[in-house]
Amino acid sequence: MTRAHLPGILAMAAIVVASNILVQFLFGQWLTWGAFTYPLAFLVTDVMNRVYGAGPARRVVFVGFIVGVVCSLIGTQIMGEFGPLVTLRIAMGSGIAFLTAQMLDVSIFAALRGGKWWRAPLASTLVGSCVDTALFFSIAFSAQLAWLEPANDVSWANEAIPMLGVGPVAPLWVSLAFADWLVKLSLALIALIPFRMIVQRLDPNNSPA
């Protein structure tokens, strides 16, 4: 890790910290403000991968994971209206989902980096986002994994309601996951613009074709 990697490290740490704070504040009925900041982690990973390679990108991901673990530990000590702000299941889901999805993003990007400039960041972010959403919400809230933390009552998240208020009946956490997934997919497309601009600025001689 060199000084050139420091902006990526700081950006990833800032995104993780901001997302852990903003996830406490609702945006509408199905989302939190954290849903709009967290996907930027994929942008940081992809920029690092394009400019510096898969190795530095993985190290930046690991820094983000450590920062996330620290945030989760702090959250378990802060009591909210219904108990700790971060439960064991949420902490586990957050850590596993982040590390798995980001490492998968790095691998897919590395495999596709020789193609069109947009293919690697788009494909890696889309796959990583799907895996991230599926892992986090199922680990944190599904009734089938209640054995992970028996004392944590997640019955509220498993209330059967129409998806997003209009679709087929499903547990509430499925609606939350679906809304979060839609935001990630939208931001994956939008992030292609800053991705290209940042890469061209950081390394104009090796910018994507």
Side-chain angles (χ1 to χ4, degrees):
M1 195 73 70
T2 67
R3 290 182 61 182
H5 304 153
L6 187 59
I9 293 173
L10 294 177
M12 180 65 81
I15 289 168
V16 172
V17 171
S19 298
N20 274 272
I21 294 173
L22 293 175
V23 75
Q24 308 299 327
F25 302 96
L26 292 174
F27 178 85
Q29 187 174 358
W30 312 107
L31 295 166
T32 69
W33 282 101
F36 299 95
T37 56
Y38 177 78
L40 296 177
F42 289 100
L43 172 61
V44 173
T45 301
D46 290 346
V47 169
M48 291 297 297
N49 204 336
R50 171 62 72 181
V51 177
Y52 302 110
R58 290 190 179 96
R59 287 191 283 274
V60 168
V61 167
F62 186 69
V63 170
F65 173 72
I66 295 300
V67 172
V69 170
V70 172
C71 288
S72 292
L73 290 176
I74 294 173
T76 61
Q77 303 305 309
I78 301 175
M79 300 301 294
E81 182 179 356
F82 303 103
L85 292 183
V86 178
T87 65
L88 174 61
R89 288 185 63 177
I90 288 177
M92 290 177 59
S94 178
I96 292 172
F98 178 87
L99 193 59
T100 303
Q102 291 291 328
M103 288 301 186
L104 184 59
D105 178 283
V106 173
S107 297
I108 293 174
F109 190 105
L112 299 176
R113 67 183 304 119
K116 295 289 187 180
W117 72 268
W118 51 266
R119 188 170 65 173
L122 183 60
S124 61
T125 299
L126 289 179
V127 174
S129 296
C130 292
V131 170
D132 183 273
T133 301
L135 284 177
F136 172 72
F137 283 93
S138 58
I139 292 173
F141 302 119
S142 70
Q144 288 73 18
L145 296 179
W147 55 270
L148 289 173
E149 191 181 13
N152 179 19
D153 181 13
V154 293
S155 58
W156 64 271
N158 287 275
E159 178 186 359
I161 63 171
M163 275 192 65
L164 301 182
V166 295
V169 173
L172 170 60
W173 71 265
V174 176
S175 288
L176 300 178
F178 187 67
D180 182 82
W181 179 68
L182 290 177
V183 171
K184 286 190 176 82
L185 296 190
S186 299
L187 290 180
L189 293 172
I190 296 172
L192 290 175
I193 299 173
F195 170 81
R196 188 167 176 82
M197 294 173 63
I198 295 170
V199 169
Q200 288 179 330
R201 183 176 181 84
L202 291 178
D203 192 2
N205 295 322
N206 190 36
S207 60

